[in-house]
Amino acid sequence: MPASPSTARAINDRLALRLLQDEGPLTAGQLKELTGLSRPTVADLVERLAASGLIEVVGETGAQRRGPNARVYGIVAGRAHLAALDVRTEGVTVVVSDLLGRVLAEASAPIGDDAGTGPAVEQAVTLVERAVKEAGADRLHTVGIGAPGLIDPASGELRVSSGLPAWHRRLVAALQERLPAARVSVENETNLAALAEQHAGAARDRDTFVLLWLGHGTGAAVVLDGALRRGASGGTGEIGFLPVPGTGALPSARDCEGGFHSLAGSAAIVELAGECGVPAARGRALADPGAVAGEPDAAALVRWAVAAVGERGGGPEAEAPQAAGLAGSQVAVRFLDVLADRVAIGVASVVAVLDPGCVVLGGEVGQAGGEALAARVAERLRRMAPLPTEVRPGTLGGAAVLHGALLTARQSAQGELFGATPEAR
């Protein structure tokens, strides 16, 4: 059935807004060309969107032409302010942005294990409020939170998980109470990392892939046919609990020790480095100048190993921390080879069940390993699985969680505001 006039107007409005978001400021003539709509229709929608406070004149064309220059329209970036939080066991990072995702303020704070639940929550909420003030925002429209643990698919709330601080779960309710006008949502950190890698990272050309998170802990996110899959209880991708050979134990319902986590978590990788003879395996890798504050020690060790063997890695651009020499190169090769053996076990399990065609090694360790680690895992995977699978290093590292949280906050806010024109109400 043909759309009603009001529905057609709402569709045209959203199309124009998406173009302004993706392409940047445009003239009415450019909107006409890109949408295929008639000149009067474009003039009407521009007037309607301007009256709604969603777009404004941001300049004029500089082209030489007869008559007045054409007005250039852009989205009113200050129409809404957003916040994104990356909540880790050891602290919180927050960014505040405008509606277009331009970061206006950023802050982070460690939260120690000895902090009580109440003080920890207050510290995190105060950090958000300070960032909002620094950004010059009156209020927040949407808050996106990335956190470890399971998200209840029915309530959308963070479920109680063993081994995670109690303040994580309390934080969502506290933010909603202190920011009553804002929409507050929480998502598993690995899921957000996958969305970020798909939007602006290693999986931009994939609508089906698995992201294997390698950071302080391990996890996986599954994207099939363009949709993030969470599972019946929100636990899709809890690969840390996957029983694997080589750990000498089995995981339990409350503890992933003995599972894949015991092979590829940060602590396990640091221990492996020591067994392989990597120098300074119990601290930062040879005072690596490429190390990032707050990253797992494992990432610095992997970055050192990649530099020592002279292969291209990911993460911050840095020279090898010192000349490794022949012996150091041999140690580094052994370390990367054994690490790839371990990672390939998890990748092969995922591939055998899902056949995603592409696995992204995300997180700080995946980024630090770069092509050197990804190529090793891919070579082992070809021997272990009959299904053709590309293995790629993640490009966003630990920043992917915050990127994904901001991305989902933007999509939520724009979904509401872009449908709020007079004809769409």
Side-chain angles (χ1 to χ4, degrees), residues 366-377:
Q367 183 189 37
E371 292 290 348
L373 180 60
R376 283 170 165 82
V377 173

Side-chain angles (χ1 to χ4, degrees), residues 181-192:
R183 291 185 173 186
V184 180
S185 64
V186 61
E187 178 60 270
N188 174 267
E189 59 179 357
T190 307
N191 287 343
L192 291 176

Side-chain angles (χ1 to χ4, degrees), residues 8 18 33 83 85 120 179 185 187 207 227 339 372 395-396 420:
R18 291 297 177 191
E33 181 178 348
L85 281 73
L179 305 169
S185 64
E187 178 60 270
D207 63 359
L339 177 58
T395 61
L396 302 178

